[in-house]
Amino acid sequence: MVALNEIPRRRYTAGPTPLEHLRRLSAELGGPQVWIKRDDRLGLTQGGNKTRKLEFLIADALKQGADTLITVGGVQSNHCRLTLSAARTEGLDCHLIVEEDLGPDGTALGPAGANPPEHTGNFLLFDLLGADSVTVLGHGADLLGEAEILAEKLRDEGRIPYVIPVGGSNPIGALGYVDCAHELLDQFAAVGLDSPTIVTPSGSAGMQAGLVVGLHSEGSTVPIIGINVSRTQAEQEPKIVNLVDSTARFLNLPPAPRDATTGLGDYVGTGYALPTPEMVEAVRLFARTEGILLDPVYTGKAAAGLIDLIRSGRFSSEDAVVFVHSGGVPGLYARTQAFA
């Protein structure tokens, strides 16, 4: 077992998140038994998978004496929300650099600032949580480059900034899901799940990479299927593999086999954060059958992929599937038109 207890860590969640059997959804789909890992119930403001990553990232920032966090993402970024929440918990300053959304047709909305983001969803929470600054740039801007420019400016002012990449997805952030893999294996044993398949959203890849490394470190052969939310399979899988390898090296572990990494790119639609009819159906189905809200960007598209895999016969009635709910529900309220 990986000795994560030797690595600095903060704690933002009281205990393991629930693993729940979705009996009504399973009956509705008529395929495998579907379970859900409720990482939407992690700590910090409104929860979500980035909280696990931030437990290690914030501890590393504090170890380095940081007094300021800088991070980047989309204008409705769950990661930015949770980084800001962690900053408030720890008494740190926090600056956000975000890129504006694409329009419904997949084209840029115009010059940054020409169409200010709607004051809703995560963007509203940036305001309520009191971000020290929120810089909105045009779609496709070099966000990390801008973050480094800001970090240098703050250093010149005598501050100690700590820059966190998109999604918190680097080897330190991925440790949160190395730990989650151990948590899941304990829960599988407790409820008698012998060989489930894990299905997870795959974006910046920290969650999926951490799970791959964590399961491999335990000698587990439980398969993980990533459902890509922003890239094709050919584009996403090398990204996952690179983070799997760098995380394993960070922990002095042997590399995981390449066939442990799958990122299906069939459910992205016209682009990241752009709604699809299948996503809308998936969000409605989870809500109607189980009272569980998904978000339209990550879990909605990943659930659409899961539903399609079930309907196409990927799993038998003897199988079990565990869907990882990565949170992000505040983003639902910024994309209400998709459901109108």
Side-chain angles (χ1 to χ4, degrees):
M1 182 173 179
V2 179
L4 291 177
N5 59 348
E6 298 176 6
I7 298 172
R9 179 180 186 177
R10 304 295 289 164
R11 296 280 183 172
Y12 300 127
T13 306
T17 58
L19 178 68
E20 300 174 354
H21 187 191
L22 302 183
R23 292 178 176 83
R24 286 165 293 280
L25 178 67
S26 300
E28 178 96 7
L29 293 173
Q33 293 303 301
V34 180
W35 295 69
I36 190 167
K37 177 63 169 167
R38 296 296 302 271
D39 272 13
D40 57 319
R41 295 189 178 178
L42 286 164
L44 301 176
T45 305
Q46 297 288 286
N49 67 321
K50 315 305 183 192
T51 297
R52 289 189 190 269
K53 302 177 184 182
L54 287 163
E55 290 188 339
F56 291 93
L57 288 162
I58 301 301
D60 187 57
L62 294 172
K63 180 182 177 182
Q64 295 186 30
D67 56 23
T68 305
L69 303 178
I70 304 171
T71 199
V72 300
V75 77
Q76 286 291 337
S77 169
N78 301 303
H79 166 67
C80 286
R81 161 178 47 93
L82 288 166
T83 301
L84 176 54
S85 179
R88 292 296 158 261
T89 298
E90 301 289 356
L92 303 173
D93 284 359
C94 186
H95 298 270
L96 307 177
I97 299 174
V98 299
E99 64 176 345
E100 62 184 356
D101 273 339
L102 293 175
D105 60 354
T107 60
L109 291 173
N115 297 284
E118 287 188 73
H119 208 66
T120 185
N122 284 314
F123 199 77
L124 167 64
L125 296 178
F126 299 163
D127 180 11
L128 296 182
L129 291 166
D132 292 276
S133 72
V134 180
T135 303
V136 182
L137 301 178
H139 188 80
D142 179 8
L143 300 181
L144 268 179
E146 290 296 323
E148 292 297 344
I149 291 170
L150 175 58
E152 192 58 36
K153 177 176 179 290
L154 291 171
R155 291 186 194 103
D156 290 343
E157 296 172 1
R159 309 303 299 273
I160 307 174
Y162 184 90
V163 177
I164 300 176
V166 172
S169 290
N170 61 16
I172 294 174
L175 298 179
Y177 275 88
V178 175
D179 182 63
C180 182
H182 304 153
E183 184 177 303
L184 277 168
L185 290 174
D186 289 343
Q187 291 178 317
F188 294 167
V191 299
L193 284 177
D194 293 328
S195 55
T197 296
I198 297 172
V199 174
T200 176
S202 189
S204 59
M207 178 166 67
Q208 186 176 359
L211 288 172
V212 169
V213 172
L215 291 173
H216 184 59
S217 74
E218 293 287 339
S220 171
T221 58
V222 169
I224 302 171
I225 298 174
I227 306 293
N228 303 345
V229 300
S230 56
R231 299 178 189 89
T232 65
Q233 186 165 1
E235 292 170 322
Q236 181 72 355
E237 287 185 350
K239 183 180 179 70
I240 305 166
V241 166
N242 287 340
L243 190 49
V244 166
D245 289 349
S246 59
T247 303
R249 284 195 300 272
F250 183 86
L251 292 169
N252 295 313
L253 294 171
R258 290 293 176 265
D259 60 8
T261 303
T262 301
L264 301 183
D266 303 324
Y267 309 102
V268 174
T270 54
Y272 174 74
L274 297 176
T276 65
E278 295 80 10
M279 175 278 292
V280 172
E281 183 205 5
V283 171
R284 289 190 180 281
L285 186 59
F286 270 69
R288 176 172 59 79
T289 58
E290 299 288 349
I292 293 174
L293 293 179
L294 305 179
D295 83 289
V297 177
Y298 295 92
T299 53
K301 286 188 177 179
L306 169 61
I307 291 165
D308 181 65
L309 293 174
I310 291 172
R311 288 174 174 165
S312 63
R314 175 72 174 260
F315 306 104
S316 77
S317 59
E318 304 301 312
D319 291 332
V321 177
V322 175
F323 181 74
V324 182
H325 191 330
S326 61
V329 171
L332 191 63
Y333 308 116
R335 295 179 172 88
T336 55
Q337 278 302 112
F339 301 89

